[in-house]
């Protein structure tokens, strides 16, 4: 059903400081993760699980969440704030001047038939005159509302885009946010978000194809245009070997300014859990 890849709690963390902390959750395309960040911006706890799909290729969120017992105590404490980032592949970006809240479902109709089991959310991307409109499985919101009624929701693009822009060093930049079997690709020109889309892939060569397609679409040289990477991406993977053959300027997105890690968490690359702290 699911396998825990990382489960870290720093030795000096105490549940008694929960009221000073923020809880961040990511509902991934094939994963579930959370982090606890204290009022000094130190990440005190982190867990990441990879979920299995059924024979029809679907995630059974209801069964997974009903059996999510191991971190339940961590998830139900009284936190200062709770935020859930949703890695929904069903999303679109709508310019603010054209956005109408009552038309949210209409914006997604050209992408897919909205599922009856999904809720439609929208948020403004900080620093950009754009609204992200996206689906979230109703069972996920119902579950989280049951344990954290004040939780806020945000699309992963809304959380990541401002952080990515703050790390840019050249006029042209590509960024890639990797999840299992899916990648979100961003193109920034002089700080402006020009392109953002997500692609599903089955092999490393598929992922490479989609990345090179964006480079080609905007006539960007793979020799010198930076590619900023975050999410679940490993230098020991075939995916890295494929990308490194063609893209010469690879960089990992660092944590936002001021964030710190403890002894245990510092042993793993910070780009793996960047999505949990982006925007909080």
């Amino acid at each position: 059903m699911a396998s825990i890849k990382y489960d870290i709690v720093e030795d000096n963390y105490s549940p008694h400081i929960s009221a000073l902390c923020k809880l961040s959750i990511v509902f991934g395309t094939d994963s579930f993760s959370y982090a606890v960040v204290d009022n000094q911006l130190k990440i005190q706890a982190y867990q990441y699980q990879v979920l299995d799909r059924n024979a029809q290729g679907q995630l059974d969120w209801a069964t997974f969440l009903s059996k999510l017992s191991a971190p339940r105590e961590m998830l139900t404490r009284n936190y200062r704030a709770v935020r859930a980032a949703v890695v929904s592949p069903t999303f679109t970006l709508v310019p603010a001047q054209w956005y109408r809240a009552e038309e949210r479902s209409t914006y997604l109709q050209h992408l897919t038939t909205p599922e009856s089991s999904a809720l439609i959310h929208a948020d403004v991307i900080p620093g950009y005159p754009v609204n992200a409109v996206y689906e979230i499985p109703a069972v996920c919101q119902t579950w989280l509302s049951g344990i954290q009624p004040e939780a806020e929701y945000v699309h992963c693009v809304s959380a990541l885009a401002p952080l990515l822009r703050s790390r840019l060093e050249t006029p042209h930049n590509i960024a890639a946010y990797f999840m299992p079997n899916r990648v979100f690709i961003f193109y920034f020109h002089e700080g402006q978000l020009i392109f953002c889309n997500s692609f599903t892939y089955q092999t490393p060569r598929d992922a490479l194809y989609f990345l090179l397609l964006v480079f080609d679409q905007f006539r960007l040289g793979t020799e010198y245009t930076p590619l900023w990477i975050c999410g679940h991406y490993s230098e020991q993977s075939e995916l890295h070997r494929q990308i490194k053959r063609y893209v010469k300027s690879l960089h990992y997105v660092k944590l936002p300014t001021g964030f710190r890690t403890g002894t245990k968490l510092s042993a793993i690359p910070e780009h793996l859990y960047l999505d949990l702290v982006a925007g909080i």
Side-chain angles (χ1 to χ4, degrees):
M1 185 60 188
S3 56
I4 298 177
K5 300 299 184 181
Y6 297 102
D7 190 7
I8 295 171
V9 179
E10 298 295 345
D11 291 333
N12 63 343
Y13 172 68
S14 169
H16 300 297
I17 68 169
S18 297
L20 300 175
C21 298
K22 293 183 178 181
L23 172 66
S24 178
I25 294 171
V26 171
F27 291 108
T29 52
D30 292 89
S31 63
F32 173 87
S33 58
Y34 73 85
V36 175
V37 182
D38 69 19
N39 60 334
Q40 301 298 316
L41 297 183
K42 181 179 180 180
I43 305 170
Q44 295 284 1
Y46 167 60
Q47 187 180 92
Y48 173 76
Q49 300 190 46
V50 175
L51 282 59
D52 297 324
R53 290 180 175 266
N54 61 22
Q56 290 72 44
Q58 299 174 330
L59 288 181
D60 186 355
W61 279 109
T63 300
F64 169 74
L65 293 171
S66 68
K67 296 181 178 180
L68 191 61
S69 57
R72 190 169 180 84
E73 181 182 351
M74 188 75 79
L75 294 170
T76 55
R77 290 172 180 153
N78 181 30
Y79 291 102
R80 179 161 61 98
V82 179
R83 189 202 66 171
V86 183
V87 188
S88 173
T90 304
F91 81 102
T92 190
L93 304 182
V94 181
Q97 69 267 30
W98 297 340
Y99 174 74
R100 299 294 181 270
E102 64 275 11
E103 299 292 333
R104 282 183 298 184
S105 61
T106 304
Y107 299 128
L108 298 180
Q109 286 179 355
H110 70 288
L111 298 174
T112 182
T113 301
E115 298 181 15
S116 58
S117 60
L119 301 174
I120 300 177
H121 283 246
D123 21 78
V124 176
I125 302 180
Y128 294 99
V130 175
N131 291 70
V133 183
Y134 57 98
E135 286 185 350
I136 174 174
V139 64
C140 295
Q141 181 166 322
T142 299
W143 170 81
L144 186 54
S145 296
I147 60 174
Q148 295 289 353
E150 302 302 318
E152 298 181 350
Y153 300 86
V154 64
H155 193 264
C156 62
V157 168
S158 301
L160 285 169
L163 172 59
L164 294 173
R165 181 175 64 173
S166 72
R167 293 294 186 265
L168 305 183
E169 299 174 353
T170 62
H172 299 276
N173 295 266
I174 299 287
Y177 169 50
F178 287 95
M179 298 294 286
N181 302 313
R182 181 166 290 275
V183 59
F184 286 74
I185 303 177
F186 305 75
Y187 167 50
F188 295 89
H189 172 61
E190 295 185 348
Q192 297 303 308
L193 180 60
I194 305 300
F195 173 89
C196 179
N197 205 349
S198 78
F199 305 89
T200 184
Y201 64 92
Q202 300 302 320
T203 70
R205 289 191 65 84
D206 293 339
L208 174 64
Y209 168 80
F210 291 123
L211 277 171
L212 295 181
L213 191 65
V214 177
F215 275 90
D216 182 67
Q217 178 179 347
F218 295 101
R219 300 182 180 180
L220 303 172
T222 56
E223 292 287 333
Y224 54 84
T225 304
L227 172 60
W228 297 86
I229 294 173
C230 60
H232 288 269
Y233 179 97
S234 169
E235 288 190 347
Q236 286 69 52
S237 67
E238 177 62 22
L239 175 61
H240 175 72
R241 286 187 285 273
Q242 290 283 350
I243 292 176
K244 190 67 175 175
R245 289 178 58 194
Y246 294 90
V247 183
K248 304 306 179 183
S249 182
L250 295 182
H251 306 270
Y252 294 104
V253 186
K254 295 182 178 180
L255 291 177
T257 303
F259 279 81
R260 299 181 296 120
T261 60
T263 303
K264 293 181 178 179
L265 191 59
S266 63
I268 66 175
E270 58 189 42
H271 69 266
L272 296 177
Y273 49 87
L274 183 87
D275 51 359
L276 283 160
V277 299
I280 69 170

